[in-house]
């Protein structure tokens, strides 16, 4: 076991099987097998420079630490956006190269669908006809495997459309918009509506009120007992925490994405309840009034309530919502026609299962990119674009299936910090840009090295609500995750 603070540039450790070395702000892990050594992983150096509790700007009482060791809570000066972009240097977009990746997305997804329709789904149908429990279990397992593989491949198409929405796909804006619109519509994503809300997400990353996704509730002295505490009192601390974490995972991964599109779930309070298909906002407090619950409380707070910030304030944006609806509507109509011809069961099995997996990947990525036990959220007076960008977290997706997942997903989880600094950088330039960023700003760049499944469980179990604490460096407030 290595001391956390011993990992410095030039450090080298080896035993009979492993070699760990640090060079130019990167940690190299090699597997040694007598005759040769093979590099199995290359990670940005992620150590914290803290040597004592006084190096942190807020109290760590009740705050869990990830492998970041509270780096985001240290006394670090954040450079200007222009300085960071100068370090990254110029990047370029290649329409031909971007189209080749889009073709890869379509080809791999079509191959999965063809194999599923030709072999897997007929096998499932035959197994289901027998009606025995063992065959039914095998049919369910095959469907789950098909959905997992096809959905994991399908997220590549989602990420390509995401690049189109940022202007990172091509300098040809018409082509770029067409690819993004078609790809997202196929996945039932309202392209222009999402493009607008996603731009707000980038502008307000980790903003405690204006953030667009995964904004946690604020705990105060008057906060009533939380759901997690209720479960711990019911089942005991250990089991209660596991039940809570499991419920968080199920809710987020299965219904988190449609809940966001339809209700603005996990968004900050400044825009209330939003809908990506209907350009209207509803104050969350008004929902009680609509349901005839706590009506007196709603009326009492009416005069003191701040007006909502509209998600789609202009007529042009509202028109784009309707254009987005057309794309999704055409795909839904096509699915209905297919269901009428081939049966709804086949359409749900072939399309619905993989789509659930695509949505689960999307939520998992976003959740892990912008949530960690020792990464804070900021209020309006302490927030800036560059501060929010440096609170984004990269993770070791390159270790999944030997890097295949990271490749098919266009490095969306391993280069997300640099993406938030300059979202016009295409994914094939983002790897090198991330290396430059990590080398130039190791004290600010966040790379959390916990394996993905363990990190996901940690944030599901412990990242539920935040508490405001005074930042000793400037007397502002930082909101940190804490147990309540």
């Amino acid at each position: 076991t290595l001391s956390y603070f011993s990992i410095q540039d030039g450090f080298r450790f080896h035993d009979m099987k492993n070699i760990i070395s640090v060079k130019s702000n990167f940690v190299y892990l090699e597997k040694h097998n007598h005759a040769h050594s093979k590099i199995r992983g290359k990670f940005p150096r992620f150590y914290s420079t803290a040597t004592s509790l006084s190096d942190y700007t807020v109290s760590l009482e009740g705050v869990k630490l990830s492998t970041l060791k509270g780096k985001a809570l240290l006394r670090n000066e954040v450079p200007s956006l222009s300085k960071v972009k100068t370090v990254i240097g110029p990047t370029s977009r290649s329409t031909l190269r971007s189209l080749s990746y889009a073709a890869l997305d379509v080809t791999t997804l079509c191959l999965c669908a063809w194999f599923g329709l030709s072999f897997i789904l007929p096998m499932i149908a035959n197994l289901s006809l027998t009606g025995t429990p063992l065959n039914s279990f095998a049919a369910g397992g095959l469907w789950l495997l098909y959905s997992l593989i096809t959905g994991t491949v399908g997220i590549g198409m989602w990420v390509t459309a995401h690049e189109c929405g940022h202007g990172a796909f091509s300098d040809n804006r018409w082509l770029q918009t067409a690819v993004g619109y078609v790809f997202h519509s196929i996945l039932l994503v309202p392209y222009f509506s999402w493009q607008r809300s996603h731009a707000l997400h980038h502008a307000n990353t980790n903003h405690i009120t204006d953030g667009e996704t995964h904004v946690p509730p604020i705990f105060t002295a008057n906060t009533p007992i939380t759901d997690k505490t209720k479960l711990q009192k019911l089942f005991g601390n250990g089991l209660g925490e596991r039940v809570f974490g499991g419920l968080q995972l199920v809710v987020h991964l299965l219904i988190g994405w449609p809940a966001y599109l339809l209700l603005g779930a996990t968004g900050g309070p400044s825009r209330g309840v939003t809908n990506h298909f209907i350009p209207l906002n509803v104050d969350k407090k008004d929902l009680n009034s609509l349901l005839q619950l706590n009506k007196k409380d709603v009326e009492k707070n009416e005069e003191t309530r701040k007006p909502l910030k509209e998600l789609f304030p202009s007529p042009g944006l509202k028109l784009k919502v309707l254009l987005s609806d057309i794309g999704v509507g055409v795909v839904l109509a096509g699915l209905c026609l297919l269901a009428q011809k081939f049966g709804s069961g086949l359409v749900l099995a072939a399309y619905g299962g993989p789509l659930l997996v695509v949505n689960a990947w999307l939520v998992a990525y976003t959740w892990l990119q912008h949530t960690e036990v020792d990464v804070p959220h900021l209020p309006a007076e302490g927030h800036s674009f560059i501060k929010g960008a440096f609170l984004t977290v990269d993770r070791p997706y390159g270790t999944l299936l030997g890097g295949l997942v990271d490749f098919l997903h266009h490095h969306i989880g391993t280069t997300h910090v640099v993406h938030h600094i300059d979202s016009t950088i295409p994914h094939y330039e983002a790897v090198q840009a991330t290396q430059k960023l990590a080398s130039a700003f190791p004290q600010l760049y966040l790379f959390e090295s916990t394996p993905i499944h363990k990190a996901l469980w940690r944030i599901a179990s412990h990242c539920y609500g935040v508490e405001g604490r005074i930042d000793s460096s400037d007397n502002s407030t930082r909101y940190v995750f804490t147990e309540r």
Side-chain angles (χ1 to χ4, degrees):
T1 302
L2 300 176
S3 167
Y4 182 74
F5 298 107
S6 70
I7 304 179
Q8 304 292 331
D9 213 32
F11 175 85
R12 185 174 176 86
F13 164 85
H14 67 88
D15 58 19
M16 294 301 292
K17 296 182 179 179
N18 304 285
I19 300 175
I20 299 175
S21 59
V22 181
K23 183 179 180 182
S24 299
N25 288 316
F26 283 87
V27 178
Y28 293 84
L29 171 64
E30 303 173 46
K31 292 292 185 181
H32 184 67
N33 184 14
H34 300 292
H36 65 278
S37 296
K38 181 179 180 180
I39 293 179
R40 300 299 299 274
K42 176 186 177 183
F43 307 104
R45 186 171 64 182
F46 50 82
Y47 66 83
S48 167
T49 56
T51 57
S52 68
L53 288 177
S54 63
D55 291 328
Y56 296 97
T57 62
V58 299
S59 168
L60 296 184
E61 181 181 358
V63 178
K64 291 184 174 294
L65 296 181
S66 66
T67 62
L68 294 171
K69 302 298 181 184
K71 184 197 288 192
L73 300 171
L74 291 173
R75 302 173 188 274
N76 290 319
E77 183 178 350
V78 179
S80 66
L81 179 61
S82 59
K83 181 178 179 180
V84 178
K85 285 187 174 182
T86 299
V87 168
I88 294 173
T91 58
S92 60
R93 290 176 291 277
S94 166
T95 299
L96 184 61
R97 192 171 183 184
S98 294
L99 284 172
S100 70
Y101 281 106
L104 174 68
D105 297 333
V106 173
T107 302
T108 52
L109 185 58
C110 286
L111 284 173
C112 288
W114 169 80
F115 188 80
L117 289 169
S118 300
F119 302 100
I120 303 299
L121 295 181
M123 289 174 61
I124 292 174
N126 290 332
L127 287 169
S128 300
L129 288 175
T130 61
T132 64
L134 183 60
N135 284 351
S136 297
F137 181 79
L142 280 174
W143 177 73
L144 182 61
L145 181 63
Y146 159 76
S147 298
L148 286 172
I149 294 174
T150 307
T152 297
V153 170
I155 195 69
M157 183 181 286
W158 207 108
V159 176
T160 294
H162 166 263
E163 284 210 344
C164 293
H166 280 293
F169 185 84
S170 171
D171 291 329
N172 186 324
R173 294 183 64 183
W174 286 99
L175 173 66
Q176 179 171 256
T177 300
V179 172
Y181 184 79
V182 171
F183 276 20
H184 261 177
S185 296
I186 290 172
L187 299 171
L188 302 185
V189 179
Y191 177 70
F192 295 115
S193 304
W194 161 84
Q195 189 180 41
R196 160 65 178 168
S197 64
H198 194 66
L200 290 173
H201 159 66
H202 271 253
N204 300 288
T205 304
N206 280 48
H207 195 298
I208 195 63
T209 55
D210 290 351
E212 184 59 23
T213 59
H214 299 292
V215 179
I218 299 174
F219 291 156
T220 66
N222 298 322
T223 299
I225 185 171
T226 64
D227 294 335
K228 180 177 179 179
T229 303
K230 291 177 183 177
L231 289 171
Q232 288 179 315
K233 286 187 174 182
L234 182 62
F235 297 109
N237 287 341
L239 180 58
E241 182 176 285
R242 288 191 289 273
V243 171
F244 176 79
L247 290 173
Q248 287 280 87
L249 281 176
V250 170
V251 171
H252 276 75
L253 299 184
L254 285 184
I255 66 172
W257 178 241
Y260 170 69
L261 291 180
L262 295 171
L263 300 171
T266 76
S270 66
R271 276 178 288 278
V273 176
T274 58
N275 187 295
H276 284 70
F277 301 94
I278 305 172
L280 296 174
N281 291 42
V282 179
D283 195 300
K284 292 179 180 178
K285 295 177 182 177
D286 283 338
L287 288 182
N288 287 331
S289 180
L290 292 172
L291 296 172
Q292 299 299 312
L293 299 173
N294 300 325
K295 190 171 183 178
K296 292 182 178 179
D297 292 337
V298 171
E299 292 172 349
K300 181 180 178 181
N301 294 327
E302 185 71 36
E303 294 182 359
T304 60
R305 196 183 311 163
K306 292 182 179 180
L308 292 176
K309 297 180 179 180
E310 283 197 64
L311 181 56
F312 308 107
S314 69
L317 288 172
K318 288 179 170 63
L319 177 61
K320 284 190 170 184
V321 173
L322 298 179
L323 293 174
S324 303
D325 292 348
I326 292 172
V328 174
V330 168
V331 173
L332 286 174
L335 290 171
C336 288
L337 290 174
L338 290 172
Q340 191 175 27
K341 185 173 182 178
F342 299 104
S344 58
L346 178 62
V347 172
L348 287 172
Y351 178 85
L355 184 64
L356 286 175
V357 175
V358 168
N359 293 344
W361 268 111
L362 171 62
V363 172
Y365 268 122
T366 312
W367 204 6
L368 287 166
Q369 286 159 351
H370 302 293
T371 310
E372 190 48 88
V373 289
D374 49 359
V375 174
H377 283 69
L378 306 176
E381 62 272 16
H383 186 274
S384 67
F385 177 88
I386 191 64
K387 285 183 179 179
F390 271 119
L391 291 178
T392 306
V393 182
D394 283 345
R395 296 187 185 269
Y397 291 94
T399 60
L400 300 180
L401 296 181
L404 179 61
V405 170
D406 193 42
F407 171 75
L408 290 174
H409 296 180
H410 308 314
H411 314 297
I412 190 66
T414 52
T415 64
H416 208 66
V417 178
V418 80
H419 169 70
H420 266 260
I421 289 169
D422 186 353
S423 59
T424 64
I425 298 175
H427 73 272
Y428 43 81
E429 297 266 357
V431 174
Q432 184 177 7
T434 295
Q435 293 172 357
K436 293 178 181 179
L437 184 73
S439 296
F441 305 104
Q443 77 282 9
L444 292 172
Y445 173 73
L446 301 183
F447 178 85
E448 210 289 316
S449 62
T450 303
I452 302 302
H453 64 288
K454 292 183 178 180
L456 192 59
W457 177 253
R458 180 173 62 227
I459 67 172
S461 302
H462 299 290
C463 295
Y464 177 55
V466 292
E467 182 179 278
R469 297 190 178 175
I470 299 299
D471 187 322
S472 60
S473 65
D474 57 8
N475 288 323
S476 66
T477 303
R478 291 199 191 190
Y479 291 88
V480 295
F481 287 102
T482 183
E483 297 294 309
R484 176 64 70 91

